[in-house]
Amino acid sequence: MVIVGALLQTIPECMGVYQVPCRVSTDFNLALYREFVKAVAESHVLDHACRVTLRLLGVVATPAPARERRHSSLNVTDLMDYMRIDINTVICKLEAPLAGGEQSPGALHPRPLAAPRSGTDPALLALLPAVRGVLSGTGVQVWVAKQLLDVANAVAAAEEGVGVGVGGSAEGGEPGRGVAGAACNYLGMPPAARAPPHLLWNAKAARSRGPQPAGAPGMAAATKALAIALDTAGTVWQVTVSGPIAPVMATRGVQAGGGAAPRGAGGGTDGSAAGGSGSAVGGAAAASSAARGGLAKGAPPAGGPAVTLLAARSDAHALTEMARAMALLCRLVAELAPQRAPAILSKLWRIAGTWLVRLPEPKVVERVVLMLRSLGSLLLHEYPGESEAALRRASGGGSALPADCRTVAFTAALQAGVVKSLAGALRCLLKGAEDDDVPANGFLVLLECLLRRSCALPPMMAHADPAGVVRLLETIRVAAETIKEQSKVLGRTPQATGEFACAKRNMDIAALQLLEHTTAVCMRARPEGLRGDSGSSSSSSSSSGEGTDGSSSSSSSGHTRTGGGVAAGPTAAPGAATTGALAAAIDSTAAALLTKSSRETVPKQRLRLMWLMTHHPQANAMAVMALSRLLPTLSCLRQADLSEPATSKDVLLGLMRVFTAVALQLLRGEVSRALESTCAAHTSAHRQVAAMREARAESWRLLLTAEEGVALTRVAAVLAAATKRQWPEGVAAALDLLEVLALALPAEDLAESLQLLGADGSVAQQAPSSPALPLRLCEGWLRQQGRTELVAVLEERGCHVPPGAAGGSRSGGSAGSTGSVGTGRRHEWLSTAAGAELLRVVAGKHQLASVQEVPAPAEVVWSMRASWGITICARPGCLQLDLDAVRSSHCKCLGCATAAYCSAECQQQHLLAGHCKAECACMRQVREACEGVYIGGGHL
C-alpha cells in the first residue's frame, strides 16, 4: 500500500502533461506522454492503484468494534487522502492532451463513429485506444462510481448537519443515513461499505486552517470534494463515450497502438474492447455494430453513479460539473442500442425532473445550458431504423395512420413525466424571478432548450396527458403576462429597465415561435404524402409503448404504397422512393411555413419527426387552446415600432403566418357552409351540423377581430414596416393574409377597418405608410403588387373610396348588404365572379383543400370541460396557475354557462373588458351547438 502510494505521488510529474486543460500544444510533451501511456497500459498501475485504494477504503470503513486501532507512525487518513488526490490527478492528466483546447484540436470527437478531426496529430490519435482501454478498466470504473456515491453521501451528511461515522451510520441516528438512506444496495455492496465522509476531503489542508469538528466535513469541503469527483468521472466518461473508435481510425488509415488493454476491462466502451479491433476493421457497418454494442455494455458503470448522485440533493453543489456529467450521460444514451435505451432513458428523465425543479435562480440555469440542450436533443431523438419506419407508416396505404410514430426516446420521456416536470420547473423559475424582481432569463433558457429547439411541444400536445399540457401552456401564458407587467414598473435604473425590456422581447419571440410550430403542424395543409385523417385516428396513441421501436413497427404496416398506388415490399425501391418523397415534402413544408429563426439549430430530422408524431385529434384541440391563450399575450407588439431594425423580420413573418392559419380556419368553415347550403337535405342532423359550422365561424371571427380588429391591425403594421424597410417578402406575407381576410371576414368588419383608395395619378401608386387603422390601400399600388383579384373583391365588398370622396364615403356595396351571421347568407358572395376568382388563387396558394379543420376556440373550452374535466379561467390576463382554483371557485358566466373564472375579481374584470358583448353570445351559441352535435348524435 505504501509503495503504491509513493508511486502515485511520482507519476503525475512523469506524464509529460504540464497544464490541465491542454489549451495549446506546448502544454504537454507528446513524446513523454506517449511513453507514459504505453507504460501505464502495459503495467496496469492505475487499475491496480484504484483497486488498492478501494480495498483500503473498505478496511477503514469497517465499524470500530470489528477492528483494533493501534498507534502507528502511518496515518491511514492522510495516506487515503493523498492516494485519492493522486488518482484523480492522473486520470485528468491522462485525458487532457486528447481533449484538446483552443489551439489544440485534440483527438476526441462527440460522435463515436465520426471520422477523426481535421488537424489532429496522428501520433496523438493513435494513443486514444490505449487511453480508452486504461480508463475502461474495472478498477478505474468502480473507483469513479464509488467515489461519486461516497461524496454524495458526504454532501447529504453536511446538509443535514450531522456527523456520519464509519459504516455510513449517522452519529446518534439510524444506520445507513445518507444519499441511499435505508437502501440495501450500494453499488452492489452493503451500506456498511460506504466510506466515512471525513476520508473524502483534503485533511492536510483542513488541518492547516485549524482544528475541525469530528464527523462530517463542512459544506464547503464536501462541495469541493463533489466537484473533484464529478470532474474525474466526467473525464473518464468523456474518453469512453467519445469517438473516433479504433475501426473508424483504421478505416481512415490511422494505426491504433500504445499497449495492451488492462486485465478485467470488461466495462469498456471502445469498439476494440467490445469485440476486438481486428474483427471490426472490415468497414463502417462493422464499426457501427461494434461501437453500439460496446456503448451498451458501458452504460451501467457510467449511468449508475449519475443516477444515484443526481437523484440526491444536487441543486446547490457543483452545478457546472454535474451539468457536464449529465450532458455526457445524454450522449451515451443517444448512442445506445434501441433495446437498451428505454430503461436508462426512464432513469435519466426522472433524474432530470427531480433536478430541474431545484434550479430557481436564472444564473444557475445559465450554468447548466449544456445539459439542458442535451436533454432537449433527446426528446425527439431517434434510434437507427425509427425514422424509416415512421415514414413508411405515415406514407403507407389506408386513410388513417395505422399507429402513432412516437420514438423510443419520446415515449420514455412521457412515461417519466417530462411534461409535469417541465411545467413545475418553469413555475419555480417564474416565481423566483418574480420574488427577486429580476428578469426571468432562466425561464427563457429552459423554454428555448426544452421546447423550441427540441420541437417537442406539438408531439406533447398529441400524446401527453391533457391536464399536464394545459398546465404547461398556462404556465407559458402566465409567464408572458408576468414578464410584461415587470417591464412596466417605473423607477428602475436604465440598465435594469433595458434588461426587463429585453426579457419581454425574448418572451414574445419565444411564444411566437412556439405558435409557429403548433399552427404549422396542426392547422395548415399537411405535407404531400402524409396520409391520414386526424379525425379518424383517435386511437393512435392509446397504447403507451406499442409501435415505438423501429424494427417492430415497420413490419406492422406490411407494405407501403407508391405514389401511383402500387403495393411494394418494405425494402423495394418504390417504397424507398415514397419514404424519401415524404421526407422531402416535410422539409419543403417546414421551410415554407416556419421562419428561419424558429428552425434555427434544429436538424431537419427533428422537424420531420415533429410532423410525423403530431397528427392526432388531441393535438388539434391543444393547438387551438395554445393559440387562443398565447396570441393575446403578443398584444405588446402592437405598441412596438415594427419598422425599426431592432425588430427581427422573422417576427413580422411569424405574426403573419400565425394569423394566416387562423384566417384559413375561418375561410375553410365558410367554404364548407357554402357547399352545405346547396344540399337539399334539411334533416335534424343537417341542421345541427349547420349550426356547429356557424358557431365555429363566429368563434374564429372573434379571435381575428378582438382588440378592435387585431388581425387587420397587424396587417397594417407589417405593411407599413415592410414598405419602410423595403422588404418585398414582408409585403407579400401581409397581402397574403389580407387576401384570406377579405374572403373570410364579414363585410362590416372589413368596411370599418379598410379603405380602398381609387385616386388618380401618382397618388394611386402610393404604398401604405400608416401602421394604424383604418388601413388605406391604393388601388394602383395593389395592382402593381399583382393583387388584381384582391382589388375586385374589396370593391365588391364595399371598401372602395372614390377619388375626392369626402369623409371617406364608400361606393358600391355596403356593409349591411351582405347579411348578418345569423341569416346564413354571409358566404353567398363566395359564388360571385370576383369572390370565386380570389378563392381559387387563395386555395391554390395555401392548399385550402388540405388544410386541417380543427375545433374553434370556444369549442375547445367546452370540450376540455366535457371530455377531460379541465376548466381554465376565461379572463385573458389572469395570473392563476392552479387549475383547481377555477373548479372550486364556482364563478361562471350565467349568460353563456361556459366562461368560468378563478375568482369573482377575474369575472368582474372580464365583464368590464367586454365579455358580455359579442363573446358571451358566441360562447352560448357554441355550447348549444356542441351539445347538439356531440351529445345529440350529429357529427361533422
Side-chain angles (χ1 to χ4, degrees):
M1 180 178 66
V2 178
I3 296 175
V4 173
L7 183 61
L8 281 174
Q9 289 184 8
T10 60
I11 284 178
E13 306 300 327
C14 306
M15 296 178 63
V17 180
Y18 311 124
Q19 184 71 30
V20 177
C22 296
R23 293 185 173 86
V24 294
S25 57
T26 56
D27 286 342
F28 66 97
N29 186 316
L30 180 57
L32 187 56
Y33 175 72
R34 181 195 299 114
E35 295 302 320
F36 173 79
V37 169
K38 292 181 179 180
V40 76
E42 293 173 357
S43 65
H44 317 301
V45 62
L46 184 59
D47 193 74
H48 287 309
C50 291
R51 292 170 184 265
V52 169
T53 308
L54 289 169
R55 184 66 179 270
L56 184 59
L57 275 174
V59 173
V60 177
T62 305
R67 61 185 177 89
E68 182 181 357
R69 301 179 64 93
R70 300 181 180 273
H71 294 285
S72 172
S73 58
L74 176 62
N75 189 317
V76 179
T77 302
D78 285 351
L79 181 59
M80 285 294 307
D81 191 37
Y82 290 133
M83 292 180 69
R84 179 180 60 85
I85 293 174
D86 291 335
I87 289 176
N88 293 335
T89 301
V90 171
I91 290 175
C92 293
K93 283 193 172 185
L94 196 60
E95 180 258 1
L98 300 176
E102 300 170 357
Q103 301 180 18
S104 177
L108 300 179
H109 195 287
R111 303 285 299 183
L113 303 182
R117 296 180 184 274
S118 59
T120 303
D121 190 339
L124 185 64
L125 192 64
L127 297 174
L128 178 57
V131 175
R132 186 181 286 123
V134 170
L135 297 182
S136 298
T138 303
V140 177
Q141 292 281 330
V142 174
W143 162 257
V144 168
K146 182 73 164 57
Q147 182 177 225
L148 276 176
L149 293 172
D150 287 336
V151 170
N153 190 46
V155 171
E159 282 184 337
E160 294 171 0
V162 297
V164 179
V166 294
S169 61
E171 295 179 358
E174 57 194 72
R177 187 174 181 179
V179 172
C184 57
N185 286 326
Y186 188 69
L187 196 64
M189 297 175 288
R194 303 178 190 178
H198 68 275
L199 295 179
L200 304 172
W201 61 322
N202 194 327
K204 182 178 179 181
R207 283 196 298 271
S208 66
R209 295 191 295 267
Q212 300 291 323
M219 181 56 68
T223 303
K224 183 177 180 180
L226 178 61
I228 294 174
L230 278 168
D231 192 49
T232 305
T235 296
V236 173
W237 298 341
Q238 180 77 18
V239 174
T240 54
V241 175
S242 301
I245 63 172
V248 174
M249 292 190 293
T251 304
R252 303 288 176 174
V254 180
Q255 297 299 324
R263 290 175 292 183
T269 59
D270 178 29
S272 59
S277 60
S279 62
V281 177
S288 175
S289 175
R292 298 189 187 281
L295 285 169
K297 291 180 180 179
V307 169
T308 305
L309 175 67
L310 297 179
R313 305 170 181 85
S314 57
D315 53 306
H317 313 292
L319 286 172
T320 303
E321 291 80 6
M322 285 186 178
R324 179 191 177 196
M326 198 71 170
L328 285 170
L329 189 58
C330 291
R331 276 178 46 196
L332 170 66
V333 174
E335 295 296 336
L336 290 177
Q339 295 79 8
R340 288 294 304 273
I344 300 179
L345 277 167
S346 179
K347 293 180 180 179
L348 177 67
W349 282 111
R350 287 189 176 93
I351 297 166
T354 304
W355 198 20
L356 287 175
V357 295
R358 297 174 178 175
L359 301 176
E361 300 178 11
K363 292 183 179 179
V364 169
V365 177
E366 293 172 3
R367 290 168 58 189
V368 298
V369 169
L370 177 63
M371 180 204 72
L372 295 177
R373 289 178 179 174
S374 300
L375 286 173
S377 66
L378 271 184
L379 277 171
L380 296 193
H381 177 74
E382 60 171 356
Y383 290 95
E386 286 191 300
S387 176
E388 293 79 3
L391 288 169
R392 283 196 295 268
R393 286 199 298 268
S395 60
S399 60
L401 295 175
D404 63 62
C405 299
R406 288 181 292 175
T407 61
V408 170
F410 185 73
T411 302
L414 288 185
Q415 292 174 347
V418 65
V419 177
K420 181 179 179 181
S421 300
L422 180 56
L426 289 172
R427 292 186 183 195
C428 289
L429 289 168
L430 180 62
K431 186 177 185 303
E434 192 175 6
D435 293 343
D436 298 337
D437 194 26
V438 295
N441 294 326
F443 183 97
L444 297 172
V445 170
L446 204 59
L447 205 65
E448 166 72 8
C449 294
L450 294 185
L451 283 183
R452 204 279 300 174
R453 281 174 177 256
S454 68
C455 300
L457 184 58
M460 286 178 181
M461 291 177 173
H463 303 292
D465 174 57
V469 176
V470 170
R471 288 189 178 92
L472 178 61
L473 294 174
E474 283 295 280
T475 302
I476 299 173
R477 180 192 63 80
V478 171
E481 297 288 350
T482 302
I483 294 173
K484 180 171 65 176
E485 293 301 321
Q486 280 185 320
S487 65
K488 296 179 180 178
V489 176
L490 303 177
R492 292 195 177 102
T493 64
Q495 180 179 355
T497 302
E499 291 175 354
F500 279 97
C502 181
K504 179 178 71 70
R505 182 169 60 252
N506 292 336
M507 183 67 229
D508 291 340
I509 293 174
L512 180 60
Q513 290 177 349
L514 293 178
L515 287 179
E516 283 188 61
H517 286 180
T518 56
T519 55
V521 174
C522 300
M523 298 176 61
R524 298 296 295 268
R526 295 177 182 150
E528 185 178 357
L530 185 58
R531 300 175 182 268
D533 180 21
S534 63
S536 60
S537 60
S538 59
S539 61
S540 63
S541 66
S542 58
S543 61
S544 60
E546 295 178 4
T548 56
D549 179 59
S551 58
S552 61
S553 59
S554 61
S555 60
S556 64
S557 60
H559 295 81
T560 57
R561 290 184 183 270
T562 62
V566 180
T571 59
T578 303
T579 302
L582 177 56
I586 296 177
D587 294 344
S588 176
T589 302
L593 299 181
L594 299 178
T595 58
K596 291 181 180 179
S597 59
S598 65
R599 292 181 282 119
E600 187 179 10
T601 67
V602 179
K604 286 185 177 181
Q605 197 57 38
R606 196 177 300 167
L607 291 171
R608 295 171 188 168
L609 286 173
M610 180 176 70
W611 254 272
L612 293 172
M613 294 168 59
T614 304
H615 292 290
H616 188 272
Q618 179 178 310
N620 295 341
M622 290 299 171
V624 174
M625 190 265 184
L627 183 69
S628 61
R629 302 294 282 179
L630 294 182
L631 199 58
T633 66
L634 304 179
S635 60
C636 55
L637 290 175
R638 295 179 61 181
Q639 286 79 36
D641 187 358
L642 302 183
S643 62
E644 293 296 327
T647 304
S648 171
K649 292 181 178 179
D650 279 349
V651 171
L652 309 185
L653 275 181
L655 275 174
M656 293 298 96
R657 290 172 180 175
V658 169
F659 274 100
T660 299
V662 179
L664 286 173
Q665 289 297 316
L666 176 57
L667 179 59
R668 194 184 191 282
E670 292 294 343
V671 172
S672 298
R673 291 179 63 200
L675 295 175
E676 290 173 356
S677 64
T678 61
C679 299
H682 293 286
T683 63
S684 174
H686 174 79
R687 288 192 295 271
Q688 289 175 349
V689 171
M692 186 75 249
R693 298 278 188 198
E694 184 178 341
R696 276 185 175 178
E698 184 64 13
S699 182
W700 285 118
R701 186 190 72 82
L702 282 180
L703 185 61
L704 288 169
T705 58
E707 302 179 28
E708 301 178 355
V710 60
L712 287 172
T713 301
R714 298 297 169 87
V715 171
V718 172
L719 274 178
T723 302
K724 183 177 180 180
R725 298 169 72 167
Q726 299 181 353
W727 181 35
E729 186 180 4
V731 172
L735 292 179
D736 286 344
L737 172 57
L738 184 58
E739 287 180 339
V740 183
L741 293 174
L743 290 171
L745 289 178
E748 56 267 25
D749 292 335
L750 286 174
E752 291 175 0
S753 306
L754 194 149
Q755 295 179 0
L756 180 66
L757 304 179
D760 297 326
S762 60
V763 180
Q765 310 297 326
Q766 282 185 353
S769 57
S770 173
L773 294 182
L775 172 60
R776 293 181 173 87
L777 297 174
C778 294
E779 179 181 335
W781 180 80
L782 283 176
R783 295 185 186 277
Q784 220 176 37
Q785 303 297 318
R787 309 287 173 155
T788 304
E789 298 85 359
L790 176 59
V791 172
V793 168
L794 293 179
E795 288 179 345
E796 188 177 75
R797 308 209 65 193
C799 298
H800 187 264
V801 178
S809 60
R810 291 169 171 80
S811 64
S814 63
S817 63
T818 57
S820 63
V821 177
T823 63
R825 299 194 306 269
R826 192 174 72 186
H827 53 267
E828 289 183 357
W829 58 268
L830 287 171
S831 59
T832 64
E837 182 61 23
L838 182 58
L839 180 60
R840 182 189 64 79
V841 173
V842 170
K845 186 181 299 182
H846 301 285
Q847 303 178 40
L848 186 62
S850 301
V851 169
Q852 308 170 65
E853 186 173 9
V854 299
E859 183 182 357
V860 170
V861 173
W862 180 90
S863 63
M864 282 198 308
R865 180 185 301 173
S867 302
W868 300 318
I870 301 173
T871 307
I872 56 178
C873 185
R875 186 173 75 87
C878 175
L879 301 181
Q880 178 60 257
L881 285 172
D882 185 8
L883 298 182
D884 295 333
V886 183
R887 188 164 44 249
S888 61
S889 68
H890 304 293
C891 295
K892 183 186 293 186
C893 175
L894 298 179
C896 61
T898 301
Y901 303 93
C902 64
S903 64
E905 295 179 3
C906 270
Q907 183 175 8
Q908 183 67 21
Q909 292 182 28
H910 200 206
L911 288 174
L912 294 176
H915 169 72
C916 58
K917 297 179 181 178
E919 186 179 11
C920 183
C922 173
M923 297 186 81
R924 182 176 63 252
Q925 182 183 7
V926 170
R927 176 182 58 80
E928 294 172 352
C930 288
E931 291 174 350
V933 171
Y934 297 117
I935 299 178
H939 63 87
L940 295 178

